[in-house]
Amino acid sequence: MTNPKLTAAAWLLMSSTAWAGSDAITLGMVLEPPNLDPTAGAAAAIDEVVYANIFEGLTRFGPDGAVLPALASDWSVSEDGLTYTFTLREGVSFHDGTTMDADDVVFSLDRARAEDSTNAQKALFKDIESVTAVSPTSVAVKLSAPNGNFPFNMAWGDAVIVAPESIENAATNPVGTGPFTFVEWAKGDHVSIARNDAYWGDAPALATATFKFISDPNAAFAAMMAGDVDAFPNFPAPETLAQFEADPRFTVIVGSTEGETILSTNNKSGPLADVRVRKAIAHAINRQDIIDGAMHGYGTPIGTHFAPHNPDYVDLTDQSGFDPEMSKALLAEAGATDLTLRLMLPPPAYARRGGEIIAAQLRDVGIQTEISNLEWAQWIEQVFKGKDFDLTIVSHTEPADINIYARPEYYFQYDNADFQALIEKLSVTSDPAMRSDLNKQAQQIIADDYVNGYLFQLAKTGVANAKINGLWENAPTQANDLTGVSWSD
């Protein structure tokens, strides 16, 4: 007899093998999000759960990186490039039943750009001078300077539309307008969501989805093999992909991401303030050894903070090529002998495995490292917010984010007035050829300054049940967009 006390949430915890071919899915994720509010957190894992599923913005990224309409059905820009007018969709409600209208857009953008905002990407909103509700379904955003990238900025997870009635609890009980509603968060284990029957757009094929947190690569492999997880869009054990490729039960999905994986360097930490020391570190690194040893060959070498698949990319890898003798000479010239640096590593395998390889490479040129393995929340507090580190390894998965180098307060504390002026010029330039040239100049400047050790572009290596359709191959933003996912019969 069925237990009448068995809740819907309990059903969601059942093995996905019972659902195979139905309308539920369990996805594996390496990192658990620190909270579920994308407007108040920097962790990519937040968007991996909520982007396009729970929360929506005025615009959104498609699987190919294109900027598409979302809560705004269309938009126009004034002749002087200073005012964007967004037409909102009618009949849209938040998950708590309250109406989504122009006032919510005004609230969301004003909150994001406020002086006391905790939004991790406040730079997206810095050009906004005012936000005005023209009517319940029309919003005018006036900018202080033309910004042809504004619809792109509004597609980020940090720019989703939220409501004043529910935002205070968004960290643990997110309320959005998306095709799925939040069900529960079992800390340390999973987040579950369910189809929003009142959704304004096309109903998703999935009725329920569970995001299961599995940080250990061996456990991730075991979970996929046992059918406890239906798909792992960012699979943490690339060394096992050949086994999945040989098994007809699975599909291996290999694509690209926006994730520049870098040896982030605190540019104001003691000897690291000297460009010669940073240059020495860059030349001590053998990128291919890291790609092979940490990622089993999956990854594209980079020499600056830009995605190789972007048409404006400049290949500057040779400028910081592997040359340990040059490293030793630079360290001697800088007087940086008996150097010991603190290397803080977050949980992802690329960081932990890559960190051990880099430590050995630095040791070969005379630099010792003290490795600290941090949990994600610790990394956010100590490294990202506290700037208490020398070196760390992290993938910057935000799209087209070279502008972070124009923020002296950013965690690697790079302060170059010429670079800041260039990015300011880029932000007000709409001509494609001019923008391309400025992007190329920006890449060269940070490569010349050896701001960070540029390692590789993170590959998107996913594994899924062969009957699952619609998972993203590439990752133009950090998301597990389930709106187009379904099971084959």
Side-chain angles (χ1 to χ4, degrees), residues 181-327:
T181 61
F182 172 73
V183 175
E184 71 164 0
W185 182 4
K187 295 289 183 70
D189 189 75
H190 72 273
V191 166
S192 56
I193 61 177
R195 184 163 54 208
N196 173 18
D197 292 329
Y199 184 54
W200 60 266
D202 295 334
L206 297 173
T208 59
T210 300
F211 299 89
K212 184 82 171 173
F213 310 126
I214 307 174
S215 59
D216 180 72
N218 293 325
F221 174 77
M224 281 299 309
M225 280 295 182
D228 295 333
V229 172
D230 299 314
F232 221 119
N234 294 287
F235 191 64
E239 67 274 15
T240 64
L241 291 179
Q243 291 175 253
F244 289 108
E245 287 178 328
D247 191 327
R249 295 178 299 161
F250 302 103
T251 299
V252 173
I253 308 167
V254 178
S256 63
T257 77
E258 291 294 321
E260 290 83 24
T261 306
I262 62 178
L263 179 65
S264 295
T265 305
N266 189 338
N267 282 235
K268 288 188 176 180
S269 179
L272 295 174
D274 189 327
V275 66
R276 294 171 296 182
V277 175
R278 300 196 301 271
K279 185 176 180 179
I281 290 171
H283 285 293
I285 294 171
N286 186 324
R287 295 183 181 94
Q288 197 58 51
D289 280 355
I290 299 166
I291 292 170
D292 291 342
M295 302 303 297
H296 291 266
Y298 292 95
T300 303
I302 57 173
T304 188
H305 197 109
F306 221 75
H309 55 258
N310 190 297
D312 294 341
Y313 175 71
V314 181
D315 186 354
L316 298 171
T317 49
D318 286 346
Q319 183 171 325
S320 53
F322 180 54
D323 190 340
E325 293 308 312
M326 181 184 289
S327 293

Side-chain angles (χ1 to χ4, degrees), residues 41 50 73 86 100 102 107 110 115 176 238 251 256 297 299 377 387 393 399 412 479:
V50 305
S73 57
F86 293 90
M100 192 291 298
F107 168 77
D110 282 350
E115 187 174 341
T251 299
S256 63
K387 306 177 184 66
I393 300 174
F412 37 73

Side-chain angles (χ1 to χ4, degrees), residues 117-244:
S117 168
T118 58
N119 194 294
Q121 299 294 338
K122 286 183 70 173
L124 296 173
F125 314 96
K126 72 178 181 64
D127 293 333
I128 296 177
E129 191 171 284
S130 65
V131 188
T132 305
V134 179
S135 75
T137 57
S138 179
V139 176
V141 182
K142 185 177 180 181
L143 306 179
S144 57
N147 185 348
N149 233 26
F150 192 68
F152 174 90
N153 291 352
M154 293 300 97
W156 284 49
D158 309 81
V160 296
I161 303 305
V162 296
E165 295 90 346
S166 55
I167 189 58
E168 292 304 317
N169 297 316
T172 55
N173 184 28
V175 175
T177 59
F180 293 92
T181 61
F182 172 73
V183 175
E184 71 164 0
W185 182 4
K187 295 289 183 70
D189 189 75
H190 72 273
V191 166
S192 56
I193 61 177
R195 184 163 54 208
N196 173 18
D197 292 329
Y199 184 54
W200 60 266
D202 295 334
L206 297 173
T208 59
T210 300
F211 299 89
K212 184 82 171 173
F213 310 126
I214 307 174
S215 59
D216 180 72
N218 293 325
F221 174 77
M224 281 299 309
M225 280 295 182
D228 295 333
V229 172
D230 299 314
F232 221 119
N234 294 287
F235 191 64
E239 67 274 15
T240 64
L241 291 179
Q243 291 175 253
F244 289 108

Side-chain angles (χ1 to χ4, degrees), residues 30-31 215 217 345-353 373-377 379:
V30 173
L31 297 176
S215 59
L345 302 177
Y350 67 74
R352 297 283 172 88
R353 294 172 177 175
N373 290 330
L374 305 180
E375 293 307 308
W376 193 246
W379 188 92

Side-chain angles (χ1 to χ4, degrees), residues 451-482:
V451 183
N452 293 309
Y454 300 105
L455 305 178
F456 59 88
Q457 195 73 13
L458 189 68
K460 188 175 188 296
T461 53
V463 180
N465 186 302
K467 292 185 177 182
I468 294 174
N469 308 303
L471 292 171
W472 282 10
E473 176 181 338
N474 301 311
T477 191
Q478 53 263 37
N480 291 313
D481 180 357
L482 300 179

